[in-house]
Amino acid sequence: MSNWVRAHTNIALIKYWGKADEDLILPMNNSLSLTLDAFYTETSVTFDDALRSDELYLDDRMQDLAALKKVKTVLDLVREKAGITSKAKVMSYNHVPTAAGLASSASGLAALAGAASLAAGLELSSEELSKLARRGSGSASRSIYGGFAEWQKGTSHETSFAVPVDDADWDIGMLFIVVSDNKKDVSSREGMSRTVQTSPFYQGWLDSLDDDLSAMKLAIKEQDIHEVGVIAERNALKMHATTLGADPPFTYWSPDSMKAMEAVRALRDKGYSVHFTMDAGPNVKLICRQTQLEEIRTHLLNDFSESQLISARPGPGLHVVSR
Ligand code: 2P0
């Protein structure tokens, strides 16, 4: 039997930004995402009495202790649940179309939660897997499911997990514009923590979320690509605005991010229903009709190269694969 588990990455349309509990990874707000076919991680875990410490191999390269930190949190929880004391060897492969820094902790930690629980003989429900993945990385809680998923913030480990919203079996797609980044990184973990603690705009972000979330759920139910895009774009811009108010201030935008945003606005002027979202980095992700992905990509080739433009469609949830 194969012990390889695959999880696909997800992009939030209503963003997770800020923790109420940094140890348990309880978020300040609910978030809602679309899982995509284009990027995924495959992972296997082997518990082995002969190992003296946990080992993590990413794309066949052994990782250091810093990279092992999130992984160890998930492994420890699985060991505790299953009554296992042995250390683990974790093998993980990221599948991304370009070497463009799109490797995601969402797919990585979701695949790990699946692979570690499988190796330990635990038969966990999707809800339990979502909680386990969350402890590694918040956004991973949503990658347990295909299509649209909502991470319900909860107030404790037991009540904070994602649930499926819609299988996204309709005319929606995403297009990634991969742009260069010459700036020093602020990790999302550091960025959200600094924003919660110091940005006077953070409360405004929180106050606007219920409206965005309920409008988004209605737009998904009605399969309204225009409204989904409008709400996702305004939600992302509000999230990014909070970082400018932080102390010290920071932004994830690069000049090329703004060039990509302008290209999206120009496509709208041509009549396309296309909007953008951005995460803790300079890449811009377009939300549009799946049936117009290629047409939109062709327009964007005027401003960006082939390798900068990656089309994505809704993808599946966590599943076992043979390798
Ligand atoms: C999201 N991001 O909802 C938001 C939008 C980035 C911007 O989830 O600290 O890597 O491991 O819980 O999950 C990135 O945060 O952070 C993220 P941790 P994670 O997709």
Side-chain angles (χ1 to χ4, degrees):
M1 194 186 83
S2 165
N3 62 346
W4 287 87
V5 173
R6 181 191 294 182
H8 288 247
T9 198
N10 71 76
I11 297 297
L13 303 177
I14 303 293
K15 302 297 185 191
Y16 149 47
W17 194 241
K19 293 181 182 69
D21 186 317
E22 299 201 346
D23 292 328
L24 292 176
I25 309 197
L26 304 179
M28 294 288 268
N29 62 277
N30 289 22
S31 54
L32 191 152
S33 61
L34 179 60
T35 298
L36 298 173
D37 64 348
F39 315 109
Y40 57 88
T41 304
E42 288 179 348
T43 297
S44 85
V45 172
T46 314
F47 290 102
D48 184 348
D49 282 335
L51 290 170
R52 296 181 58 190
S53 58
D54 291 324
E55 293 177 358
L56 169 64
Y57 295 84
L58 190 54
D59 296 328
D60 292 324
R61 281 189 299 275
M62 192 168 181
Q63 303 295 300
D64 61 14
L65 273 178
L68 200 61
K69 195 167 170 270
K70 291 178 180 183
V71 167
K72 219 176 149 308
T73 305
V74 173
L75 291 173
D76 285 345
L77 286 164
V78 167
R79 278 190 281 252
E80 190 186 323
K81 231 186 208 328
I84 291 174
T85 51
S86 44
K87 302 297 180 190
K89 180 180 177 185
V90 179
M91 303 267 289
S92 203
Y93 293 91
N94 272 326
H95 293 258
V96 294
T98 65
L102 287 169
S104 150
S105 63
S107 58
L109 275 297
L112 176 70
S117 54
L118 184 69
L122 296 173
E123 287 182 17
L124 300 184
S125 64
S126 296
E127 190 180 301
E128 290 295 328
L129 284 166
S130 178
K131 290 183 213 169
L132 182 60
R134 188 201 85 232
R135 294 290 290 273
S137 199
S139 53
S141 66
R142 301 182 307 235
S143 273
I144 303 303
Y145 307 99
F148 296 100
E150 179 185 358
W151 175 14
Q152 301 181 333
K153 62 180 177 175
T155 53
S156 62
H157 173 66
E158 288 303 326
T159 55
S160 185
F161 53 85
V163 296
V165 167
D166 179 283
D167 60 10
D169 191 16
W170 50 278
D171 193 8
I172 185 166
M174 288 187 111
L175 200 156
F176 285 58
I177 303 183
V178 179
V179 302
S180 65
D181 179 17
N182 299 317
K183 291 194 312 275
K184 209 171 153 222
D185 280 343
V186 179
S187 71
S188 55
R189 204 162 270 200
E190 156 64 17
M192 65 176 87
S193 171
R194 193 190 303 173
T195 305
V196 171
Q197 285 169 35
T198 65
S199 178
F201 306 154
Y202 190 72
Q203 190 58 44
W205 156 257
L206 285 181
D207 290 344
S208 73
L209 273 162
D210 284 350
D211 286 349
D212 281 359
L213 186 64
S214 51
M216 180 61 81
K217 285 199 222 169
L218 183 64
I220 289 170
K221 198 170 167 198
E222 294 180 342
Q223 305 189 352
D224 185 336
I225 187 72
H226 180 78
E227 271 304 299
V228 166
V230 166
I231 300 158
E233 186 172 302
R234 77 173 183 230
N235 184 266
L237 289 172
K238 277 184 285 200
M239 181 204 110
H240 285 271
T242 67
T243 71
L244 297 178
D247 185 14
F250 64 103
T251 182
Y252 291 112
W253 297 11
S254 73
D256 280 349
S257 312
M258 300 197 69
K259 185 178 137 190
M261 292 179 206
E262 278 313 310
V264 172
R265 293 182 184 118
L267 283 164
R268 285 212 285 267
D269 289 343
K270 288 187 200 298
Y272 290 102
S273 180
V274 52
H275 295 83
F276 63 82
T277 186
M278 281 181 68
D279 296 293
N283 297 324
V284 175
K285 294 120 185 182
L286 277 49
I287 302 146
C288 62
R289 292 185 191 285
Q290 198 180 121
T291 49
Q292 291 183 334
L293 274 170
E294 286 318 305
E295 220 174 300
I296 286 173
R297 194 166 183 277
T298 303
H299 281 291
L300 290 169
L301 283 169
N302 293 324
D303 293 309
F304 302 96
S305 66
E306 286 272 352
S307 61
Q308 284 182 282
L309 302 172
I310 304 164
S311 300
R313 292 164 185 79
L318 192 72
H319 57 284
V320 174
V321 289
S322 49
R323 271 183 75 104

